[in-house]
Amino acid sequence: MLNKEEIEKRILSTNEAGLVTILYEAIIDNFEDSIVAIDEKDYNELNYINNNSRDILAELLSTLQGNSEIAKNLKEIYIYINKLLTMGESNKDRTYFEKAIKITMPLKEGFSELEKNIDPKIVTGLTYGKSNLAEYQLKGNKDFKG
């Protein structure tokens, strides 16, 4: 399960590819939770998880720009994953979610590698201690500088 505080920190300190990676991690987590819900015969939970997965797929679709070959291929993959979700929920069959994980995992790994090769977005703000107020900036090596 994804740690909410860790995710918030990552969102604030990553680049566009990192944000897509986080979405992939969340949807893979949902696929695993769907398998558990099927095993436990908790079909209301399965429905809830799948609705959240569809929201994530919609967000992933919104990241696609233009008519490039990559954008077209990713769109087809996302549509197919949505079909797997629907079939898995309808048939209450974990194999559809297992297949969705196998399809999504290489995408997550690819965007994770891409994230490492793009500079992070800059995050600035103020920190405070007992007796001082300091400005920090996050860039490049992802270290805080006071």
Side-chain angles (χ1 to χ4, degrees):
M1 178 137 228
L2 299 172
N3 179 332
K4 187 176 178 178
E5 289 179 16
E6 179 184 316
I7 295 298
E8 288 175 3
K9 288 177 187 175
R10 284 181 57 201
I11 288 170
L12 293 173
S13 64
T14 192
N15 52 41
E16 293 84 1
L19 294 174
V20 173
T21 301
I22 291 168
L23 289 172
Y24 284 132
E25 289 171 358
I27 201 165
I28 290 168
D29 199 39
N30 279 359
F31 297 154
E32 292 168 348
D33 290 344
S34 294
I35 291 169
V36 171
I38 289 171
D39 290 345
E40 295 176 353
K41 299 187 183 333
D42 188 350
Y43 303 124
N44 288 329
E45 180 69 9
L46 177 63
N47 179 266
Y48 176 80
I49 295 167
N50 278 345
N51 286 337
N52 181 261
S53 294
R54 286 186 183 91
D55 289 343
I56 294 170
L57 284 172
E59 189 66 30
L60 286 167
L61 276 166
S62 74
T63 66
L64 302 177
Q65 297 177 354
N67 291 324
S68 70
E69 194 68 27
I70 292 173
K72 289 178 185 177
N73 289 340
L74 285 173
K75 182 178 181 182
E76 288 179 24
I77 290 169
Y78 298 156
I79 291 169
Y80 181 67
I81 290 171
N82 186 52
K83 182 179 177 180
L84 290 174
L85 294 176
T86 302
M87 296 299 293
E89 185 176 358
S90 296
N91 297 326
K92 294 161 183 55
D93 184 349
R94 64 184 285 147
T95 59
Y96 291 99
F97 297 100
E98 292 166 351
K99 185 181 276 189
I101 291 170
K102 286 180 183 177
I103 292 169
T104 309
M105 192 62 75
L107 296 173
K108 179 195 79 85
E109 292 168 359
F111 273 89
S112 180
E113 285 299 313
L114 185 60
E115 174 187 9
K116 295 174 187 175
N117 296 318
I118 300 174
D119 288 335
K121 64 182 178 181
I122 299 171
V123 177
T124 60
L126 297 174
T127 61
Y128 60 93
K130 252 183 174 176
S131 61
N132 64 351
L133 186 65
E135 186 174 339
Y136 69 86
Q137 182 176 32
L138 176 65
K139 183 178 179 182
N141 63 4
K142 297 186 181 183
D143 290 334
F144 286 110
K145 299 175 184 175

